[in-house]
Short mmCIF file of all heavy atoms in Angstrom, two decimals:
data_model
loop_
_atom_site.label_atom_id
_atom_site.label_comp_id
_atom_site.label_asym_id
_atom_site.label_seq_id
_atom_site.Cartn_x
_atom_site.Cartn_y
_atom_site.Cartn_z
N PHE A 92 -23.94 23.13 -2.77
CA PHE A 92 -22.54 22.83 -3.10
C PHE A 92 -22.44 22.05 -4.40
O PHE A 92 -23.42 21.48 -4.88
CB PHE A 92 -21.89 22.05 -1.94
CG PHE A 92 -21.45 22.96 -0.81
CD1 PHE A 92 -22.37 23.37 0.15
CD2 PHE A 92 -20.16 23.44 -0.73
CE1 PHE A 92 -21.99 24.23 1.18
CE2 PHE A 92 -19.77 24.29 0.30
CZ PHE A 92 -20.68 24.68 1.26
N GLN A 126 -13.90 23.41 -4.69
CA GLN A 126 -15.28 23.54 -4.18
C GLN A 126 -16.02 24.54 -5.05
O GLN A 126 -15.42 25.50 -5.55
CB GLN A 126 -15.23 24.08 -2.74
CG GLN A 126 -16.57 24.24 -2.06
CD GLN A 126 -16.41 24.82 -0.66
OE1 GLN A 126 -16.73 25.99 -0.43
NE2 GLN A 126 -15.90 24.04 0.26
N ARG A 128 -20.06 26.48 -5.07
CA ARG A 128 -21.33 26.58 -4.35
C ARG A 128 -22.04 27.85 -4.77
O ARG A 128 -21.43 28.78 -5.27
CB ARG A 128 -21.10 26.58 -2.83
CG ARG A 128 -20.47 27.85 -2.29
CD ARG A 128 -20.10 27.71 -0.84
NE ARG A 128 -19.66 28.98 -0.31
CZ ARG A 128 -18.44 29.50 -0.56
NH1 ARG A 128 -17.58 28.84 -1.27
NH2 ARG A 128 -18.12 30.67 -0.06
N PHE A 140 -22.36 34.90 7.23
CA PHE A 140 -21.23 33.99 7.46
C PHE A 140 -20.26 34.73 8.35
O PHE A 140 -19.70 35.75 7.92
CB PHE A 140 -20.57 33.62 6.13
CG PHE A 140 -21.46 32.78 5.22
CD1 PHE A 140 -22.42 33.38 4.42
CD2 PHE A 140 -21.35 31.40 5.20
CE1 PHE A 140 -23.26 32.63 3.60
CE2 PHE A 140 -22.18 30.63 4.38
CZ PHE A 140 -23.13 31.25 3.58
N HIS A 143 -14.05 34.58 9.06
CA HIS A 143 -13.21 33.38 8.98
C HIS A 143 -12.24 33.53 7.81
O HIS A 143 -12.45 34.37 6.93
CB HIS A 143 -14.09 32.14 8.75
CG HIS A 143 -14.82 32.19 7.44
ND1 HIS A 143 -15.94 33.00 7.25
CD2 HIS A 143 -14.57 31.62 6.25
CE1 HIS A 143 -16.34 32.89 5.99
NE2 HIS A 143 -15.53 32.09 5.36
N ASP A 145 -11.03 31.16 4.77
CA ASP A 145 -11.37 29.88 4.12
C ASP A 145 -10.22 28.90 4.21
O ASP A 145 -10.42 27.71 4.46
CB ASP A 145 -11.71 30.11 2.63
CG ASP A 145 -13.01 30.86 2.47
OD1 ASP A 145 -13.82 30.88 3.42
OD2 ASP A 145 -13.23 31.44 1.39
N THR A 148 -9.99 26.65 7.24
CA THR A 148 -10.85 25.45 7.17
C THR A 148 -10.32 24.46 6.15
O THR A 148 -10.25 23.25 6.39
CB THR A 148 -12.28 25.86 6.76
OG1 THR A 148 -12.87 26.60 7.83
CG2 THR A 148 -13.14 24.65 6.46
N TRP A 149 -9.92 24.95 4.99
CA TRP A 149 -9.50 24.04 3.92
C TRP A 149 -8.19 23.34 4.27
O TRP A 149 -7.93 22.23 3.82
CB TRP A 149 -9.36 24.80 2.59
CG TRP A 149 -10.68 25.37 2.12
CD1 TRP A 149 -11.93 24.93 2.47
CD2 TRP A 149 -10.89 26.47 1.24
NE1 TRP A 149 -12.88 25.69 1.85
CE2 TRP A 149 -12.28 26.64 1.08
CE3 TRP A 149 -10.04 27.32 0.54
CZ2 TRP A 149 -12.84 27.62 0.28
CZ3 TRP A 149 -10.58 28.31 -0.27
CH2 TRP A 149 -11.97 28.46 -0.40
N ASP A 153 -9.79 19.94 5.05
CA ASP A 153 -9.71 19.31 3.72
C ASP A 153 -8.28 18.94 3.34
O ASP A 153 -8.05 18.30 2.30
CB ASP A 153 -10.28 20.25 2.63
CG ASP A 153 -11.74 20.58 2.86
OD1 ASP A 153 -12.42 19.80 3.56
OD2 ASP A 153 -12.20 21.63 2.35
N SER A 202 -20.99 23.43 10.55
CA SER A 202 -20.21 24.64 10.18
C SER A 202 -20.77 25.33 8.94
O SER A 202 -20.63 26.53 8.76
CB SER A 202 -18.75 24.25 9.92
OG SER A 202 -18.65 23.51 8.71
N LEU A 203 -21.43 24.56 8.06
CA LEU A 203 -21.92 25.21 6.83
C LEU A 203 -23.19 25.99 7.10
O LEU A 203 -23.65 26.76 6.26
CB LEU A 203 -22.11 24.15 5.74
CG LEU A 203 -20.81 23.42 5.35
CD1 LEU A 203 -21.08 22.37 4.30
CD2 LEU A 203 -19.75 24.40 4.86
N GLN A 206 -20.68 28.61 11.39
CA GLN A 206 -19.33 28.10 11.70
C GLN A 206 -18.96 28.37 13.15
O GLN A 206 -19.20 29.46 13.65
CB GLN A 206 -18.32 28.78 10.77
CG GLN A 206 -16.91 28.20 10.87
CD GLN A 206 -15.95 28.76 9.81
OE1 GLN A 206 -16.37 29.53 8.94
NE2 GLN A 206 -14.70 28.39 9.89
N HIS A 244 -12.65 37.23 6.06
CA HIS A 244 -13.86 37.76 5.41
C HIS A 244 -15.11 37.21 6.11
O HIS A 244 -15.05 36.27 6.90
CB HIS A 244 -13.88 37.40 3.92
CG HIS A 244 -14.08 35.94 3.67
ND1 HIS A 244 -13.10 35.00 3.94
CD2 HIS A 244 -15.14 35.25 3.22
CE1 HIS A 244 -13.56 33.81 3.63
NE2 HIS A 244 -14.79 33.92 3.21
N ARG A 279 -13.61 15.72 4.96
CA ARG A 279 -15.00 16.10 4.69
C ARG A 279 -15.44 15.42 3.38
O ARG A 279 -14.59 14.97 2.60
CB ARG A 279 -15.10 17.62 4.54
CG ARG A 279 -14.74 18.36 5.82
CD ARG A 279 -15.29 19.77 5.83
NE ARG A 279 -14.70 20.63 4.80
CZ ARG A 279 -15.05 21.91 4.64
NH1 ARG A 279 -15.98 22.45 5.43
NH2 ARG A 279 -14.48 22.66 3.69
N ILE A 283 -17.62 18.84 -0.79
CA ILE A 283 -17.17 20.08 -0.13
C ILE A 283 -15.69 20.30 -0.40
O ILE A 283 -15.26 21.40 -0.74
CB ILE A 283 -17.42 20.02 1.38
CG1 ILE A 283 -18.90 19.79 1.68
CG2 ILE A 283 -16.97 21.32 2.05
CD1 ILE A 283 -19.19 19.64 3.17
O1 6CS B 1 -16.22 25.37 5.00
C1 6CS B 1 -16.16 25.75 3.86
O2 6CS B 1 -15.49 25.19 2.98
C2 6CS B 1 -17.02 26.93 3.45
N1 6CS B 1 -17.32 27.81 4.53
C3 6CS B 1 -17.28 29.14 4.39
C4 6CS B 1 -17.97 29.98 5.37
N2 6CS B 1 -16.60 29.75 3.42
C5 6CS B 1 -15.76 28.87 2.62
C6 6CS B 1 -16.42 27.61 2.29
O3 6CS B 1 -17.42 27.73 1.39
#
Side-chain angles (χ1 to χ4, degrees):
F92 279 83
Q126 181 182 107
R128 70 188 187 283
F140 293 82
H143 64 284
D145 290 341
T148 291
W149 296 338
D153 299 338
S202 71
L203 298 179
Q206 187 173 355
H244 69 289
R279 296 200 295 180
I283 302 177

